[in-house]
Amino acid sequence: MLCLELAWRFIIARKRPMLLSLSGIVFGVAFFVLTQAQTSGFEQFFIRTILGTNGAIRISDQFQDNVGTVEKVDQDGKVEFLFHSREDSLYREGVDQPALIYEALKDYPEIMGVSEIIEGNGVLNTGSRKSSIEIKGIRWVDHAQASDLISQIIDGSIDEFAADQMAVLLGSRISQRLNLKVGDRVRLIGGTGNLHLRVSGIFETGVSQIDKNRIYLHMGTARSFLGRFSGGSVFQVALKNPNRAPAIAQQLQNVLNHRAVSWQEREKVWLDVFKALRVSSGITVSCILLLSGLGIFNVFAILVIEKTRDIAILRSIGFSPQDVSAIFLWQGAILLSAGVFVGSLFGYAGTFLISVIPLRIRGIFSTDNFVVNWDLDHYLMAATIALFFVSFATWIPARRASKVEPAKIIRETL
Amino acid sequence: MDLNGGNHPVSDSLRVENLCHSFVDAGTSVDVLKGVSLEARSSEITSIAGPSGCGKSTLLYLMGLLDRPCSGKIFMNDVEVQDLNDIDRTRARNKSIGFVFQFHFLIKELTALENVRLPLLKSGTDRSTADEKSIALLNDLGLKNKSHRPAYKLSGGEQQRVAIARSLANSPKYLLADEPTGNLDSKNSDGVFELLLQMAQSLNLSVVLVTHNEKLAGRADRRFIMKDGLILA
Ligand SMILES: Nc1ncnc2c1ncn2[C@@H]1O[C@H](COP(=O)(O)OP(=O)(O)O)[C@@H](O)[C@H]1O
Ligand SMILES: [Mg+2]
């Protein structure tokens, strides 16, 4: 306690260098929190959108056989195994018995929704403009349960879609490109021919790749257009807890004998990009904390030199070397906790400000403000990094302080 | 280890026997103390005089357990203390020994009172008792209204008196003063000397006073003169 009190007195007697040191920690922590809130905000946004659009698990392609063949070869007394994986005939495209799979999936307690989808490609033609697109044939009631489709519709409605077998739901970027509005007519060409569709709704997921390319048709309409009247579909599965997707996908794959891919595996490239972004911005911002650590080191190293006489005197009146280093460590602890506290407040306030600033983004994502993620972990991480640098910055001078030989110092001062 | 066994006042002495010390300077070993023996008794002032560089300060720091001798023995209250471990030495400095140096060595961030009560708080005395005792000491030393002044705002003589108050705060048995008046004018010097004399008697202290000032040295109860690391008389 006495050492803490002395630490405090030493700090407030040096307002300027201590405030400078403090501001380094404050800015480091604040920026760390802010950048993490943004990068992980976009990551969460992406995950949410992708889950709400494409589901947690996709089931496709039946396995033809589960194992390749293994051949045992005896050669000059050496035993070798030859593996034949029969790669080209491993899968048969699409689900063969959708009704059975559907029933099986419906019984899983962890599954929130199951939607059978028939996929294909085509070209939309308005007469003046054309655009190639990806077709998803759905049963809208099922799909609404397995996705956020209804809330993604920004114009028109699911009811209009439900009411008309020749209805189409367009991705928002398609509707912009082709200049189509709800109620307009459009031709779908390719496949077995030619469909006259009516635009019954426009949806926006926020992920440009999807909004640019996807249309939804009724299952029957899509099947007849694509000429695939049975089988060949895929399943989109929504989970109550998407984090369990890899384990559940594995389980489904074993039970159903179909390939089941979790969103984590499916979107690995994107998730890796986000992770890299998060880590690299974290490292960049940690440099602020590194620099403030160096600043603190500098301040403390000078302080220890300045205080050598006082240290000697404290030793002569019964302070141990440990007490002496405690005085300096406490100073570091005071700066650290004040810096982390104020920095977290600034980071919090900054995150809030950024989240409400109107900002139209039309790149990989479409949003109208910065997407931020509120996560206590960011604050803890910032505190940990600050702790790491400040500890080093104080520990070395504190150790030097504890090594002061009082007799030598006092004699030299005379 | 009981350095404070006060029921035997005559034995509350600080004694060194055949103390030797040397420093290694630029590769060569310099013998600074070459076998010093002396005793300082309680309620007395023991003065050590001698030319600059003869080893007075070195001797004093060894007696005060700030440094370790190369050979020889140090007795406090007839107990050998030169081989105490660091923890016991630190505790002895806190409780049994008071230092006063030529330069007052106050901590400038603290007030007079806060400086004085440091050894008390360090030894675990509660705050109100420590404050009471420190203020009483400051009053005794004529600093009645200055206890809440920052240390650096006091005059040289006042600062030295605060330093003396601090050295006495924990009621030590031994007060080691290294040219405490070296930095003061003669009026203040006399004042400090009178104070030490008074303290030695009223608190049963063994005071060891290293001084250049022959007049003050002459007034001590026991007088030693050092030269080249040896006691002459
Ligand atoms: N750390 C040291 N290294 C080398 N020599 C030292 C050291 N400290 C003191 N000395 C030498 O020891 C001698 C005695 O010093 P000191 O005890 O301070 O003398 P005094 O107090 O009598 O003036 C001096 O010659 C001084 O130069
Ligand atoms: Mg000296």
Side-chain angles (χ1 to χ4, degrees), chain A residues 140 149-150 153-164 167-169 182 198-203:
Chain A
W140 73 269
L149 179 61
I150 292 179
I153 294 177
I154 54 170
D155 205 0
S157 71
I158 196 76
D159 294 332
E160 278 183 61
F161 179 74
D164 182 356
V168 59
L169 291 171
V182 172
R198 201 182 66 87
V199 179
S200 63
I202 290 161
F203 67 89

Side-chain angles (χ1 to χ4, degrees), chain A residues 5 9 14 307 323, chain B residues 93-94 109 114 122 127:
Chain A
E5 192 184 334
R9 301 300 289 270
R14 286 168 190 72
K307 284 274 156 213
D323 294 329
Chain B
R93 285 202 299 268
N94 180 232
E109 287 87 350
E114 287 165 338
K122 180 65 225 160
R127 222 153 257 262

Side-chain angles (χ1 to χ4, degrees), chain A residues 2 5-6 9-10 13-14 307 309 313-320 323 406-407 410-411 413-414, chain B residues 23 58 61 66-67 90 93-94 99 101-103 105 107 109-110 114 117 121-122 127 166 178:
Chain A
L2 184 55
E5 192 184 334
L6 283 171
R9 301 300 289 270
F10 285 180
R14 286 168 190 72
K307 284 274 156 213
R309 250 178 52 163
I313 222 63
L314 287 172
R315 293 289 308 279
S316 83
I317 61 178
F319 282 68
S320 66
D323 294 329
I410 292 169
R411 186 184 290 110
T413 320
L414 296 189
Chain B
F23 293 107
T58 306
Y61 302 156
L66 271 181
D67 213 347
T90 299
R93 285 202 299 268
N94 180 232
F99 283 102
F101 303 103
Q102 175 173 2
F103 295 95
F105 281 131
I107 291 172
E109 287 87 350
L110 305 180
E114 287 165 338
R117 75 182 182 192
L121 295 180
K122 180 65 225 160
R127 222 153 257 262
R166 182 177 62 192
D178 193 355

Side-chain angles (χ1 to χ4, degrees), chain A residues 22-88:
Chain A
L22 187 66
S23 60
I25 305 177
V26 167
F27 282 116
V29 168
F31 273 114
F32 189 93
V33 166
L34 204 56
T35 51
Q36 290 298 302
Q38 280 174 50
T39 48
S40 81
F42 277 107
E43 181 177 11
Q44 293 301 317
F45 174 81
F46 174 78
I47 291 172
R48 227 181 307 125
T49 307
I50 225 67
L51 283 174
T53 309
N54 290 341
I57 295 176
R58 177 186 158 100
I59 297 168
S60 58
D61 306 348
Q62 186 180 9
F63 287 113
Q64 261 196 346
D65 46 17
N66 287 337
V67 281
T69 57
V70 183
E71 201 181 333
K72 190 175 161 190
V73 188
D74 249 316
Q75 201 181 354
D76 304 338
K78 272 200 281 180
V79 181
E80 282 185 6
F81 293 94
L82 295 179
F83 295 88
H84 303 282
S85 64
R86 302 181 58 191
E87 237 164 64
D88 43 17

